[in-house]
Amino acid sequence: ENLDWSVGALWTRSDQAEASSAPGADAAAPPMLHCAVIWRAPSAQAADLVEASRKAALRRGEDLPGRVWATAEPAWITDVAEDNSPRLRLAAQAGLRGAFAFPVQLGHEPCGVMEFFTRQTEPPDEPLRDVLAGVGSQIGQFIERTRAEDQLRQASAELQRSNTDLQQFAYVASHDLFEPLRMVTSYLQLLCDRYEDKLDQEAHEFIGFALDGAQRMQALIKDLLAYARVDTRGRSFEAVNCEHTFVAAMSNLKIAIDEANAVITHDALPTVQGDSVQLTQLFQNLIGNAIKFHGSEAPRIHVGAQRTGDEWTFSVRDNGIGIDPKNFERIFAIFQRLHTRHEYSGTGIGLAICKKIVERHGGRIWLESELGKGSTFWFTLPVVKREGE
Ligand code: ADP
C-alpha cells in the first residue's frame, strides 16, 4: 500500500511542557493541544492548513487531534470535506481527503497526537493502525525517558552547585573566623596575666569561662576547616599500602593507646587506591574513637579487611560502650555527639570527616552496634586495578 502522506503534524499538550517553561504559565488554564512540528511534502499545496495548524490551540475533543486525545484511540476521517471543523476544511481546499491521527502515549494518558493527511480516501488497514499505535507508545516512552534524564541532569547540577557553595562557605567561614577569635583569646589571656592582682576571684572565674568558650570555638573552627579541606585539599589517588597507613595511625595515637592500655590487633591489610594522608586520618579517627569510647574493660580493638569483588571491606571492631541503633545516622553528621564534653572529649566532627573521606574514595561507611555491646564500623575502598583486571 502506498501511504503517500502529504502533510504530517505532531501535537503536544500544553500541560505536558517541560518543567522549565512552566513558571508564568497559568496553572488554572485548561490544557490545550498545540502543534509542535508540522511538515508537508513539497508537492502539497497546503500553506493555509499549515498556517492554521501552527496557530491552533485545540481543546480536548476539538478537531481530529482533540478527538484522539479524548479517546486515546487512533481515528481516521475518510473525507475531510465532510467534517465541520474549520481547519479540516482548509485541508479539503488543499486537495487532501483522508486524515489519520493516533495518540502518543505516556503511560495510559496521551501526551500528544500524531496527525497525517493524504489525498486518498482509503482508511489505513488494521495492521498499519497497530503499527502506528505501537509507534505512538514508543515515542511516548522516548519522551518520558528524555524528560526523566533532563530532570536528573538538572537535579545533579543543582546538587553539585549547592555542594560547592557549602564547601566554599565552610572554608571561608572557618578560615576568616580564626583570626578575630585568636585576638579574643590573646587579649583575655593578657587581661588575666597583667591584672592578676587587681582582679577579684569572680573576675578571674569569668575570664576563665570566656577563655574556655573561645578555645572550644577555636577547636570547632579548626575541625570545620579540616572537614572542608577533605574535598578542597585532597591529593590525587595512588596505591596505598594500608599496613603503612595503620602503623602511621597507631603512632599518632600512641599516647591514647598507652593511657587506656588498649590492645589492637589486625588482619593482613591490603593495598588500595587512595589518598594516603586521608586514609591515615580515617584509620586514626575510627581507632581513636574505639579507644575513647571504651567501657569498664580495657579496649580490645580489631581491624579487619576482606575483599569482595572490586572493593575491600574494612572493619574496626571494639568492645566499648556501644551505640543505640537509633543514633546510627546522626553520629555521621557534623558536630553531632551523643555525650557531653565532660563525659568524653571531642567536637563531633571525626565521623563526619570519615564519611567524607570514604565517599571521596567512592566507598560507603556504616556500623553495627548495640548499647553496651561494643561497635563495629565498616567501610569500603576500591581495590588497585592491575593491568588486564
Ligand atoms: P567525637 O569523637 O568528637 O565525639 P565523632 O564524630 O568521632 O565525634 O563521633 C560522634 C559520636 O559517635 C561520639 O560522640 C560518640 O557518641 C559516638 N561514637 C563514635 N565512635 C564510637 C565508638 N567506637 N563507640 C561508641 N560510640 C561512638
Side-chain angles (χ1 to χ4, degrees):
E1 187 182 3
N2 179 12
L3 288 172
D4 188 29
W5 303 114
S6 305
V7 176
L10 170 64
W11 295 82
T12 54
R13 267 167 57 174
S14 55
D15 59 338
Q16 295 276 340
E18 291 299 323
S20 55
S21 64
D26 187 356
M32 294 278 195
L33 276 183
H34 294 281
C35 181
V37 196
I38 184 160
W39 68 98
R40 60 183 162 116
S43 60
Q45 303 292 313
D48 289 346
L49 171 64
V50 169
E51 179 72 13
S53 298
R54 284 209 176 108
K55 285 187 187 150
L58 305 177
R59 289 184 311 274
R60 196 182 161 97
E62 182 185 2
D63 202 324
L64 178 60
R67 275 173 244 162
V68 170
W69 172 15
T71 58
E73 294 282 346
W76 64 96
I77 295 170
T78 16
D79 191 350
V80 284
E82 285 165 21
D83 198 279
N84 53 16
S85 129
R87 196 181 59 98
L88 295 182
R89 244 171 287 138
L90 292 176
Q93 282 165 23
L96 300 166
R97 304 294 297 281
F100 177 66
F102 62 88
V104 174
Q105 298 274 32
L106 225 169
H108 293 300
E109 183 67 9
C111 65
V113 173
M114 296 284 281
E115 183 190 38
F116 298 96
F117 292 92
T118 164
R119 285 179 215 284
Q120 301 164 353
T121 51
E122 280 288 294
D125 59 12
E126 184 92 27
L128 180 62
R129 289 202 310 265
D130 287 349
V131 166
L132 292 179
V135 169
S137 114
Q138 288 290 324
I139 298 175
Q141 282 172 30
F142 173 75
I143 292 176
E144 188 172 51
R145 229 182 357 252
T146 315
R147 222 176 257 167
E149 278 168 13
D150 274 356
Q151 279 169 358
L152 203 65
R153 234 193 318 274
Q154 223 169 351
S156 138
E158 258 159 45
L159 203 66
Q160 180 76 36
R161 198 167 38 243
S162 79
N163 209 6
T164 316
D165 286 353
L166 201 67
Q167 203 67 250
Q168 194 67 18
F169 169 76
Y171 184 78
V172 168
S174 45
H175 193 264
D176 292 2
L177 286 174
F178 225 79
E179 200 37 50
L181 196 59
R182 192 156 31 223
M183 201 148 103
V184 172
T185 323
S186 41
Y187 277 93
L188 280 171
Q189 197 64 59
L190 212 59
L191 204 60
C192 225
D193 297 346
R194 291 256 184 101
Y195 295 83
E196 169 103 60
D197 11 295
K198 298 202 182 73
L199 296 171
D200 62 12
Q201 180 60 31
E202 202 173 29
H204 274 293
E205 212 172 288
F206 288 175
I207 291 175
F209 287 144
L211 262 176
D212 183 50
Q215 266 150 15
R216 258 190 298 137
M217 191 156 166
Q218 218 157 27
L220 288 172
I221 292 173
K222 195 164 98 343
D223 282 347
L224 197 59
L225 199 56
Y227 179 76
R229 279 181 172 157
V230 171
D231 285 329
T232 56
R233 296 285 169 89
R235 306 195 309 177
S236 56
F237 290 2
E238 54 190 353
V240 179
N241 183 340
C242 290
E243 289 282 346
H244 299 166
T245 310
F246 176 79
V247 169
M250 294 293 281
S251 129
N252 294 343
L253 290 166
K254 180 153 189 355
I255 297 172
I257 294 171
D258 291 348
E259 271 177 8
N261 277 323
V263 177
I264 304 174
T265 54
H266 67 98
D267 292 350
L269 298 177
T271 296
V272 299
Q273 196 71 24
D275 173 333
S276 63
V277 174
Q278 293 188 346
L279 293 182
T280 303
Q281 166 129 58
L282 174 63
F283 278 96
Q284 189 175 322
N285 286 2
L286 292 177
I287 299 171
N289 278 348
I291 300 170
K292 178 161 69 171
F293 297 103
H294 65 78
S296 47
E297 293 171 37
R300 272 179 289 111
I301 298 158
H302 184 78
V303 178
Q306 260 182 0
R307 183 171 171 164
T308 31
D310 269 357
E311 54 186 25
W312 284 96
T313 303
F314 292 81
S315 57
V316 178
R317 189 177 69 230
D318 67 47
N319 61 337
I321 59 173
I323 299 164
D324 190 329
K326 74 169 196 273
N327 291 317
F328 281 5
E329 292 266 328
R330 217 185 110 192
I331 54 173
F332 288 104
I334 192 163
F335 297 144
Q336 288 293 329
R337 321 192 58 223
L338 306 178
H339 308 275
T340 68
R341 68 199 151 87
H342 303 295
E343 294 170 290
Y344 295 95
S345 66
T347 56
I349 200 105
L351 287 178
I353 288 181
C354 288
K355 183 164 194 252
K356 220 176 188 200
I357 290 175
V358 169
E359 283 173 358
R360 181 169 172 249
H361 285 76
R364 291 158 287 126
I365 183 165
W366 70 99
L367 71 147
E368 278 168 23
S369 183
E370 224 179 293
L371 263 183
K373 301 235 169 111
S375 317
T376 307
F377 282 82
W378 305 85
F379 59 93
T380 59
L381 291 174
V383 304
V384 179
K385 291 261 182 227
R386 281 191 213 87
E387 253 172 86
E389 223 181 317

